[in-house]
Amino acid sequence: MGSVILAIACIFLAFVLLFCLISYGFFWYETANGPHYEYLVRLSNGRVKRFMMRGILSGLVSFPMTVLLYPLGYFRRLWKTDLTAPTPAPPVIFIHGLYHNASAWVFFRLWMKRAGFTDLHAFQYGSLGSSFDGLLERLDAFVKELLNQRGTKSVILICHSLGGLLGRAYLNRAPKDFKISALVTLGTPYQGSKLAVLGVGRLAQSLAFRGPLVQGIESQTVESTDIPRLAFYSPLDNMVLPNEALRTSAPGWVFFETEGMSHVAMLFSKDLADRTSEFLRTSCIRE
């Protein structure tokens, strides 16, 4: 029995290592042949490969945690908070990324709760067999049901990766009888990603770099500049290629470059959770 467990553990670790190395292999190929390389040279004081090891190591830590925590996404407690007393901040809705589930927010949820945000919910969806427009319809129904339960007229959206595209598209389409108080994104491919061609399912394929979906969202932007919007991005994001795809040209956004970390590692960063809490505290909490 012990040998079987050891064999499974070795296979799992080998898979994690292979995934990280392959994804950063794509990152290096794209970076070495583009303008981002010179930026990394300046950022790392000429020690680009050593700097990249930070991203690889963060991936080696965060990816196994993502896999191990994944089953927690099926526990309803991570999806919804049952509250009877009003809270100073609007309800917070977390939206995960491609192939993930509500377990993405286990640590973020804990840190934000400690910071005083207690009305926390997760919008969960399946990545296979789903379409972007179909998910927008489901998100609309989810938000309306939550607002009806809470008796409020606003929500906060905190999103990772593809979730940020959903949040931004919803911001543009949201009904006029309520508002999005703030939108925070982590590692969102605002211009898609070249790695999308390797994705499984039409939802993944739709995220092609500067493809019809992302160009449509960019061109249809009607975001009100009075809605606080914060976008975190990493200079070592191994899933959104090229790195420039992590930024949008739409006005009114606040961009924050994180320390060098992998795409998934952003979900396990207490610093980003603290910065998110502070941003929300100063932008949309009722006095």
Side-chain angles (χ1 to χ4, degrees):
M1 184 65 178
S3 60
V4 174
I5 295 176
L6 179 61
I8 294 174
C10 289
I11 293 173
F12 176 66
L13 291 175
F15 173 73
V16 169
L17 178 61
L18 184 63
F19 176 84
C20 289
L21 291 179
I22 289 177
S23 62
Y24 271 104
F26 282 118
F27 173 87
W28 178 247
Y29 177 81
E30 180 66 33
T31 298
N33 291 283
H36 191 54
Y37 177 78
E38 293 302 324
Y39 178 71
L40 289 186
V41 170
R42 296 192 300 271
L43 192 62
S44 64
N45 293 319
R47 300 177 178 180
V48 177
K49 293 182 180 179
R50 180 180 295 184
F51 185 60
M52 275 187 60
M53 283 303 300
R54 297 173 60 177
I56 295 173
L57 290 174
S58 71
L60 290 174
V61 173
S62 60
F63 186 66
M65 292 177 63
T66 299
V67 176
L68 293 174
L69 291 172
Y70 194 88
L72 295 180
Y74 297 102
F75 287 82
R76 182 180 177 276
R77 189 64 180 171
L78 290 174
W79 297 26
K80 195 171 184 178
T81 302
D82 295 321
L83 291 177
T84 55
T87 60
V92 174
I93 298 176
F94 295 111
I95 308 177
H96 62 80
L98 189 69
Y99 304 136
H100 216 157
N101 65 14
S103 65
W105 304 105
V106 169
F107 287 96
F108 230 85
R109 181 180 184 274
L110 175 64
W111 291 322
M112 290 201 64
K113 190 173 183 179
R114 289 178 176 175
F117 294 86
T118 55
D119 199 358
L120 306 173
H121 309 261
F123 173 68
Q124 181 154 272
Y125 60 88
S127 298
L128 299 177
S130 297
S131 68
F132 191 84
D133 287 338
L135 291 181
L136 277 181
E137 294 298 323
R138 287 187 51 199
L139 177 59
D140 180 54
F142 184 90
V143 172
K144 288 179 178 177
E145 180 182 4
L146 178 60
L147 292 176
N148 184 57
Q149 292 173 350
R150 289 293 183 267
T152 61
K153 292 294 183 180
S154 64
V155 295
I156 294 169
L157 301 181
I158 300 178
C159 319
H160 178 242
S161 195
L162 166 61
L165 286 179
L166 286 169
R168 186 181 177 200
Y170 188 65
L171 185 64
N172 293 332
R173 301 186 187 185
K176 303 302 182 183
D177 56 345
F178 71 90
K179 69 174 184 175
I180 308 298
S181 291
L183 173 62
V184 178
T185 67
L186 297 82
T188 289
Y190 286 108
Q191 298 183 53
S193 174
K194 291 184 178 181
L195 290 184
V197 297
L198 302 177
V200 178
R202 59 176 175 169
L203 183 61
Q205 294 287 321
S206 70
L207 301 178
F209 178 59
R210 291 179 178 167
L213 174 64
V214 293
Q215 286 191 11
I217 295 174
E218 190 82 359
S219 64
Q220 295 172 10
T221 295
V222 292
E223 299 161 11
S224 174
T225 55
D226 63 350
I227 298 176
R229 285 155 292 156
L230 171 65
F232 292 107
Y233 67 97
S234 168
L236 296 179
D237 193 307
N238 57 320
M239 300 304 294
V240 181
L241 303 178
N243 194 262
E244 67 188 69
L246 289 161
R247 290 173 286 277
T248 173
S249 60
W253 281 85
V254 175
F255 291 97
F256 182 87
E257 184 176 77
T258 71
E259 296 182 356
M261 65 180 72
S262 71
H263 185 72
V264 176
M266 303 181 82
L267 292 167
F268 301 98
S269 171
K270 186 176 185 299
D271 177 62
L272 297 192
D274 290 343
R275 290 180 183 275
T276 297
S277 298
E278 182 60 27
F279 176 77
L280 296 177
R281 238 185 251 111
T282 58
S283 62
C284 60
I285 293 184
R286 300 188 304 269
E287 296 296 336

